[in-house]
Amino acid sequence: MSILGFLKRRGENKYIDKAEIRDVLSKLLTSVRMKFKNIATPSPEPTAFVEGFDKNDRVLLKTDYPIVQGTEVDISFFRLDQSGKRVPNILSLVIDAHEGELYYARIDGPLRLGDLRADYRLPVGDNQYYWSRVRLLFDGKPLRLVDVSGGGACFETKTLLFEKSETIRVVLSMSNEVFNLAATVLKADLYRGVRTVHLRFDHKIANVRDKIDALIFELQRQKYAEEKGYSSSAGILEKKDILQPLPTSEVASPDRE
């Protein structure tokens, strides 16, 4: 069975190659997005980390989003194929039980091809690992970034004024890549003196969005690998004898203006 193939009858576990699914999920080292079936999913979509498997081949998900037993969930994520190309995947699960933030989910469908253009938002906020590697600048000054995806970003400011539908130019710096982007203000909400601005990147080059998503994916892999003590080069996980921190920028997190 091709791991990206579709089954004619969903939910027939006897047709699912659990060894292949286990192999794919064990190499993720990144969070997955959760979309609930028959339930309105909050925006942005909740995320979880794949923590492993139990003896019954149930997937162990770690998330702080509350989920009740019996909930049907689709998890979506990017993985790297043998050539290093990002491949979007979706897997259907049903929540069996949970212990605190750890949820046990049985596999309820085949691993199938997902949407390559789907945005994945990186929660930068006050996360030291991410804000030391990701910057959003306006007029040469760093903004207090809340999150970012291939399709847009959200930031907070105390002094800058933006109007809905206004077009601005920003510079997005991620790892060693720099993107000069035109962006449209979707909304700018003011609360207790802080304005939260949501941007949509107006890409002129089609593959820029996917390139940003790829960098987000790799940042997630690196962060989780460091926390777990794994090396994740070439999509292969190897336990490191000595946990060495990845290099970080010495630039401090920007304050709200």
Side-chain angles (χ1 to χ4, degrees):
M1 182 196 81
S2 171
I3 196 165
L4 297 180
F6 286 83
L7 297 183
K8 293 183 179 179
R9 291 183 293 171
R10 178 184 162 275
E12 299 263 353
N13 282 356
K14 63 183 180 180
Y15 294 109
I16 298 171
D17 190 333
K18 289 190 174 69
E20 285 186 309
I21 292 176
R22 179 188 288 266
D23 181 62
V24 168
L25 293 184
S26 68
K27 294 177 180 178
L28 276 185
L29 284 191
T30 186
S31 62
V32 296
R33 292 180 302 170
M34 298 187 296
K35 186 172 184 179
F36 304 118
K37 300 173 188 175
N38 305 316
I39 301 175
T41 302
S43 180
E45 292 176 353
T47 59
F49 280 98
V50 176
E51 291 288 306
F53 302 82
D54 69 1
K55 61 183 180 180
N56 297 316
D57 281 322
R58 294 184 302 181
V59 182
L60 305 184
L61 299 175
K62 187 175 183 180
T63 178
D64 59 2
Y65 190 85
I67 314 174
V68 299
Q69 183 178 358
T71 301
E72 296 181 345
V73 179
D74 276 348
I75 61 172
S76 57
F77 52 90
F78 289 106
R79 69 178 178 89
L80 299 180
D81 64 13
Q82 293 180 346
S83 66
K85 181 181 178 181
R86 287 184 320 126
V87 179
N89 286 166
I90 297 175
L91 180 63
S92 296
L93 303 170
V94 176
I95 304 299
D96 270 353
H98 74 92
E99 298 175 2
E101 295 182 348
L102 189 63
Y103 289 82
Y104 299 79
R106 69 177 185 273
I107 298 170
D108 192 45
L111 193 64
R112 59 194 192 274
L113 192 62
D115 179 11
L116 182 62
R117 306 291 291 185
D119 281 334
Y120 187 89
R121 292 198 170 273
L122 184 73
V124 180
D126 293 322
N127 188 301
Q128 182 176 0
Y129 189 94
Y130 294 137
W131 59 246
S132 66
R133 291 163 172 79
V134 183
R135 285 287 187 274
L136 186 69
L137 295 89
F138 176 72
D139 282 346
K141 296 180 179 180
L143 300 167
R144 187 170 184 84
L145 192 59
V146 176
D147 60 49
V148 64
S149 73
C154 174
F155 66 89
E156 296 178 338
T157 177
K158 285 186 176 180
T159 59
L160 298 176
L161 300 178
F162 296 98
E163 299 294 334
K164 184 178 179 180
S165 300
E166 180 180 354
T167 300
I168 64 174
R169 294 202 68 86
V170 294
V171 174
L172 176 65
S173 172
M174 300 184 67
S175 300
N176 295 319
E177 299 281 347
V178 177
F179 304 89
N180 291 278
L181 303 166
T184 299
V185 177
L186 299 179
K187 61 180 180 178
D189 300 324
L190 182 63
Y191 180 70
R192 293 184 176 180
V194 177
R195 185 170 279 102
T196 303
V197 182
H198 298 261
L199 299 178
R200 181 189 68 232
F201 296 146
D202 300 324
H203 295 301
K204 302 301 182 184
I205 303 175
N207 67 351
V208 170
R209 178 172 177 162
D210 290 338
K211 192 170 185 178
I212 294 173
D213 279 337
L215 289 171
I216 289 173
F217 174 78
E218 187 57 30
L219 279 170
Q220 286 263 343
R221 285 173 57 86
Q222 291 173 1
K223 178 178 182 294
Y224 203 48
E226 181 178 334
E227 292 174 347
K228 292 290 184 181
Y230 283 92
S231 170
S232 61
S233 60
I236 305 299
L237 304 188
E238 295 179 354
K239 190 72 174 179
K240 294 186 290 185
D241 294 330
I242 301 176
L243 184 58
Q244 297 179 346
L246 298 175
T248 61
S249 169
E250 294 182 357
V251 180
S253 176
D255 294 327
R256 298 186 185 96
E257 301 88 351

